[in-house]
Amino acid sequence: MSVTFYRVKEGEFARLVETESITKFIAQESESSPLKFSLVGINPSQKLAYIVRHGRNDDLRTWRLDTLGAFLKKLGIANLEVQFN
């Protein structure tokens, strides 16, 4: 299955969650920063994936799991898959 990835800022990610364009959420551990996680949102029906980047540059945004959990809870997300390297 081929999936198209887009890098989006936090605000765009939140908008995609609100419009229910994303239905699956994955926290992927960073290879360069252990126990820091990037956030990936997936729209399986459209075969699209969105990963959150920093606002000022194109580097991936990373969080500790507790901070990421608080961000997702604020958006009303109840399920998150966590993947370690």
Side-chain angles (χ1 to χ4, degrees):
M1 172 173 96
S2 177
V3 176
T4 304
F5 268 87
Y6 294 98
R7 290 176 178 240
V8 297
K9 297 178 190 176
E10 282 182 43
E12 176 68 6
F13 191 88
R15 188 191 68 76
L16 290 164
V17 170
E18 289 173 10
T19 60
E20 298 180 1
S21 298
I22 301 173
T23 57
K24 183 176 180 178
F25 303 91
I26 300 170
Q28 176 64 51
E29 186 178 26
S30 168
E31 289 182 12
S32 60
S33 300
L35 298 179
K36 293 274 194 146
F37 295 82
S38 294
L39 177 59
V40 180
I42 299 175
N43 179 328
S45 63
Q46 298 290 322
K47 296 183 180 175
L48 298 173
Y50 303 91
I51 192 160
V52 179
R53 69 176 183 88
H54 281 283
R56 295 184 181 184
N57 58 44
D58 201 39
D59 294 338
L60 296 181
R61 171 85 163 86
T62 58
W63 291 269
R64 293 185 340 216
L65 275 181
D66 59 336
T67 307
L68 179 56
F71 173 69
L72 294 174
K73 189 173 184 178
K74 184 174 74 173
L75 296 176
I77 297 166
N79 294 310
L80 171 68
E81 181 179 319
V82 177
Q83 295 180 356
F84 293 97
N85 284 327

